[in-house]
Amino acid sequence: MRTHVHPRSLAEAWPALTGLSAVFLFEMLDNSILTVALPTIGRELSASTTTLQWVTGVYSVVFGGLMPVAGAVADRLGRRKVMLTGLVLLGIASLATMAVTAAWQLIAVRALMGVAAAMTTPGSLALAFRLFDEDGLRVRATTLISTVGLVGLAVGPTTGGLVLGFAPWQALLLINVPVAALAFLGIRAGIPADDPADLHRDRIDVAGALLGTATIVLTLLAPTQFVEAGIASALPWVTTAAALVAGTCFVLREKTARSPLIDLKLLAEPLVSSGLALKAAAGSATAGLSYLVTLHLQFGLGWAPARAALGMLPQVVVLIAGGALISPLITRAGFTKAAWLGALAIVCGLAVYTALGRFGYVWIAVALALVAAGMRVVGVVAGTNVMRGLPSNRTTIGAALADTAGEVATGIGLALSGTILALVFPGALTAARESADFPEAITYAGLALTVLSAALVGVGILRGRS
């Protein structure tokens, strides 16, 4: 059996952390940098609005749907091996962008990138967790990796706009090639190959994998359909029913399978269930609030898009700078209470926006800062708690489940806020500033987000206490 000597500081692990940070940078940068190019892509590829939605949406659906399966495979075949294979796939898919001449080809490329993201993103946090044997170093490493990713998320649109000023839109996806190469070299050099004794050899539950993937894909599709087609349409309801049926079949399969894809008993562990609930609360709150504030600033207050983008800066600044607060908070309060405090900040931020957002931008900025601060803490601490609550040979599936909880909750948060906004204010958004119904619609949507997040936080705290 190989003996792995754990690094005693972040500096000792710099090649590995460089590679893992590059992986997370790709995941955060990818969609944000591409969004600014959608009008150009639409013109050059003669793509409809629906087609352009699939250019970004197919990535999220494939990524979210395959994360648990990829995590389960990594815990069996090797986390480093699956990560490196995913990075090679990312590089190949990104290079294929140069050959794209039709919208369907770009959608296929984006789907392959979603597969690569599912193979790499959960592994970045799982490998960082396994790299160290001290919780303090694990938190600092995870904070560093997530900060790099959040910087990518923040600068993505600006970088994309600058690149489009002198280069074709394909260049935005080709940026992934050097990022993937840097990640490959760092992980290959800094992370040892998996010890066979640290993997488990259970057979992969193919039926469970298919049912689980179908459940997540349908769950991610349903919110988008509610926003696009409306609640009067049959399609989102059919998709929701199909998701419930697939989810029920998945649970029954996992309870009876000899080697389940996900051991449901492990999900009942207090640290795991609490962490997943808090991650879901953070995902739904952050996505829903960002969506509402963007509309509020532009259509409710009449701000130009550039000014509205500046109005989101409190969220961006806190997300990036807030990483410095995580380790001191854990030192003072401990892991569990730090996660609770972060989650309560999220609920308080939503409550501030719901109650006071209509009275001026200052309250909107306060809400953005509170939710961002809470999300920053929960993103690191709750995810770490999920992996702390699992056996050592299930860490990658744990990271995948935490990411999946956030991804699904993001879709639900967007759908909930968008659907309530459409119900209360059915008119054109361009008329929002002159209408007395728009502030009311924003308030009801904010209230729904607050109630949803508070319920998830309540579950997380109750499970954590047990």
Side-chain angles (χ1 to χ4, degrees), residues 125-147:
L125 298 181
L127 286 174
F129 180 86
R130 301 176 65 83
L131 190 61
F132 302 97
D133 60 354
E134 296 178 14
D135 284 338
L137 287 174
R138 288 167 171 169
V139 169
R140 290 172 58 195
T142 304
T143 302
L144 172 65
I145 292 168
S146 58
T147 299

Short mmCIF file of all heavy atoms in Angstrom, two decimals, residues 125-147:
data_model
loop_
_atom_site.label_atom_id
_atom_site.label_comp_id
_atom_site.label_asym_id
_atom_site.label_seq_id
_atom_site.Cartn_x
_atom_site.Cartn_y
_atom_site.Cartn_z
N LEU A 125 -13.11 19.90 -5.79
CA LEU A 125 -13.31 20.07 -4.35
C LEU A 125 -13.00 18.78 -3.59
O LEU A 125 -12.46 18.82 -2.48
CB LEU A 125 -14.74 20.52 -4.08
CG LEU A 125 -15.11 21.88 -4.69
CD1 LEU A 125 -16.54 22.25 -4.34
CD2 LEU A 125 -14.15 22.97 -4.24
N ALA A 126 -13.35 17.63 -4.18
CA ALA A 126 -13.07 16.36 -3.51
C ALA A 126 -11.56 16.12 -3.37
O ALA A 126 -11.08 15.69 -2.32
CB ALA A 126 -13.71 15.21 -4.27
N LEU A 127 -10.80 16.41 -4.43
CA LEU A 127 -9.36 16.21 -4.38
C LEU A 127 -8.71 17.21 -3.43
O LEU A 127 -7.73 16.88 -2.75
CB LEU A 127 -8.75 16.32 -5.77
CG LEU A 127 -9.03 15.14 -6.70
CD1 LEU A 127 -8.50 15.42 -8.11
CD2 LEU A 127 -8.39 13.86 -6.16
N ALA A 128 -9.23 18.43 -3.37
CA ALA A 128 -8.70 19.41 -2.41
C ALA A 128 -8.94 18.93 -0.98
O ALA A 128 -8.07 19.09 -0.11
CB ALA A 128 -9.35 20.77 -2.63
N PHE A 129 -10.10 18.35 -0.75
CA PHE A 129 -10.42 17.82 0.58
C PHE A 129 -9.48 16.68 0.95
O PHE A 129 -8.98 16.60 2.07
CB PHE A 129 -11.88 17.33 0.59
CG PHE A 129 -12.33 16.76 1.90
CD1 PHE A 129 -12.83 17.59 2.90
CD2 PHE A 129 -12.26 15.40 2.15
CE1 PHE A 129 -13.25 17.07 4.12
CE2 PHE A 129 -12.68 14.87 3.36
CZ PHE A 129 -13.17 15.70 4.34
N ARG A 130 -9.20 15.81 0.00
CA ARG A 130 -8.38 14.63 0.26
C ARG A 130 -6.89 14.97 0.31
O ARG A 130 -6.09 14.22 0.85
CB ARG A 130 -8.62 13.57 -0.82
CG ARG A 130 -10.06 13.12 -0.93
CD ARG A 130 -10.22 12.14 -2.08
NE ARG A 130 -9.47 10.93 -1.83
CZ ARG A 130 -9.91 9.92 -1.09
NH1 ARG A 130 -11.10 9.98 -0.54
NH2 ARG A 130 -9.17 8.86 -0.89
N LEU A 131 -6.52 16.10 -0.29
CA LEU A 131 -5.11 16.46 -0.37
C LEU A 131 -4.51 16.71 1.02
O LEU A 131 -3.34 16.43 1.27
CB LEU A 131 -4.96 17.70 -1.25
CG LEU A 131 -3.55 18.12 -1.66
CD1 LEU A 131 -2.87 17.03 -2.47
CD2 LEU A 131 -3.61 19.42 -2.46
N PHE A 132 -5.33 17.25 1.92
CA PHE A 132 -4.86 17.60 3.26
C PHE A 132 -5.54 16.71 4.29
O PHE A 132 -6.62 16.15 4.05
CB PHE A 132 -5.17 19.07 3.56
CG PHE A 132 -4.56 20.03 2.58
CD1 PHE A 132 -5.30 20.52 1.52
CD2 PHE A 132 -3.25 20.44 2.71
CE1 PHE A 132 -4.75 21.40 0.60
CE2 PHE A 132 -2.68 21.32 1.81
CZ PHE A 132 -3.44 21.80 0.75
N ASP A 133 -4.93 16.62 5.45
CA ASP A 133 -5.54 15.82 6.53
C ASP A 133 -5.97 16.69 7.70
O ASP A 133 -6.37 16.18 8.74
CB ASP A 133 -4.57 14.73 7.02
CG ASP A 133 -3.26 15.31 7.56
OD1 ASP A 133 -3.07 16.54 7.46
OD2 ASP A 133 -2.45 14.54 8.08
N GLU A 134 -5.91 18.03 7.55
CA GLU A 134 -6.38 18.95 8.58
C GLU A 134 -7.54 19.76 8.03
O GLU A 134 -7.47 20.30 6.91
CB GLU A 134 -5.26 19.90 9.01
CG GLU A 134 -4.07 19.20 9.66
CD GLU A 134 -2.99 20.20 10.03
OE1 GLU A 134 -3.27 21.42 10.03
OE2 GLU A 134 -1.86 19.76 10.30
N ASP A 135 -8.62 19.87 8.81
CA ASP A 135 -9.80 20.60 8.36
C ASP A 135 -9.49 22.06 8.07
O ASP A 135 -10.06 22.66 7.14
CB ASP A 135 -10.92 20.50 9.40
CG ASP A 135 -11.61 19.14 9.38
OD1 ASP A 135 -11.53 18.46 8.34
OD2 ASP A 135 -12.21 18.76 10.40
N GLY A 136 -8.59 22.67 8.85
CA GLY A 136 -8.24 24.06 8.62
C GLY A 136 -7.63 24.28 7.24
O GLY A 136 -7.99 25.22 6.52
N LEU A 137 -6.70 23.41 6.86
CA LEU A 137 -6.09 23.51 5.54
C LEU A 137 -7.09 23.18 4.44
O LEU A 137 -7.05 23.78 3.36
CB LEU A 137 -4.89 22.56 5.45
CG LEU A 137 -3.64 22.97 6.22
CD1 LEU A 137 -2.58 21.88 6.16
CD2 LEU A 137 -3.08 24.28 5.66
N ARG A 138 -7.99 22.25 4.72
CA ARG A 138 -9.01 21.92 3.73
C ARG A 138 -9.89 23.14 3.43
O ARG A 138 -10.21 23.43 2.27
CB ARG A 138 -9.87 20.76 4.24
CG ARG A 138 -9.18 19.42 4.24
CD ARG A 138 -9.95 18.39 5.04
NE ARG A 138 -9.41 17.05 4.87
CZ ARG A 138 -9.75 16.01 5.61
NH1 ARG A 138 -10.65 16.16 6.59
NH2 ARG A 138 -9.22 14.82 5.39
N VAL A 139 -10.29 23.84 4.47
CA VAL A 139 -11.13 25.03 4.29
C VAL A 139 -10.37 26.11 3.54
O VAL A 139 -10.91 26.75 2.62
CB VAL A 139 -11.62 25.56 5.65
CG1 VAL A 139 -12.26 26.93 5.50
CG2 VAL A 139 -12.61 24.59 6.26
N ARG A 140 -9.11 26.34 3.91
CA ARG A 140 -8.32 27.37 3.22
C ARG A 140 -8.11 27.02 1.76
O ARG A 140 -8.18 27.90 0.88
CB ARG A 140 -6.98 27.54 3.94
CG ARG A 140 -7.10 28.21 5.31
CD ARG A 140 -5.78 28.17 6.05
NE ARG A 140 -4.72 28.83 5.30
CZ ARG A 140 -3.43 28.69 5.56
NH1 ARG A 140 -3.03 27.89 6.56
NH2 ARG A 140 -2.53 29.33 4.86
N ALA A 141 -7.88 25.74 1.47
CA ALA A 141 -7.70 25.32 0.09
C ALA A 141 -9.00 25.49 -0.71
O ALA A 141 -8.99 26.00 -1.84
CB ALA A 141 -7.23 23.86 0.04
N THR A 142 -10.10 25.06 -0.13
CA THR A 142 -11.39 25.20 -0.80
C THR A 142 -11.74 26.66 -1.01
O THR A 142 -12.28 27.04 -2.06
CB THR A 142 -12.49 24.51 0.03
OG1 THR A 142 -12.14 23.14 0.25
CG2 THR A 142 -13.83 24.55 -0.70
N THR A 143 -11.44 27.51 -0.04
CA THR A 143 -11.69 28.94 -0.17
C THR A 143 -10.87 29.53 -1.31
O THR A 143 -11.38 30.33 -2.11
CB THR A 143 -11.34 29.66 1.15
OG1 THR A 143 -12.13 29.10 2.20
CG2 THR A 143 -11.62 31.15 1.04
N LEU A 144 -9.60 29.13 -1.39
CA LEU A 144 -8.74 29.62 -2.47
C LEU A 144 -9.28 29.20 -3.84
O LEU A 144 -9.40 30.03 -4.75
CB LEU A 144 -7.32 29.07 -2.28
CG LEU A 144 -6.34 29.33 -3.43
CD1 LEU A 144 -6.09 30.82 -3.59
CD2 LEU A 144 -5.02 28.58 -3.21
N ILE A 145 -9.62 27.93 -3.97
CA ILE A 145 -10.12 27.42 -5.25
C ILE A 145 -11.41 28.14 -5.65
O ILE A 145 -11.57 28.57 -6.81
CB ILE A 145 -10.35 25.90 -5.16
CG1 ILE A 145 -9.00 25.18 -5.01
CG2 ILE A 145 -11.08 25.38 -6.39
CD1 ILE A 145 -9.14 23.72 -4.63
N SER A 146 -12.34 28.28 -4.72
CA SER A 146 -13.62 28.91 -5.05
C SER A 146 -13.44 30.40 -5.34
O SER A 146 -14.17 30.96 -6.17
CB SER A 146 -14.62 28.70 -3.92
OG SER A 146 -14.14 29.22 -2.70
N THR A 147 -12.47 31.05 -4.68
CA THR A 147 -12.23 32.46 -4.95
C THR A 147 -11.75 32.66 -6.38
O THR A 147 -12.19 33.59 -7.08
CB THR A 147 -11.19 33.04 -3.97
OG1 THR A 147 -11.70 32.92 -2.64
CG2 THR A 147 -10.91 34.50 -4.26
#
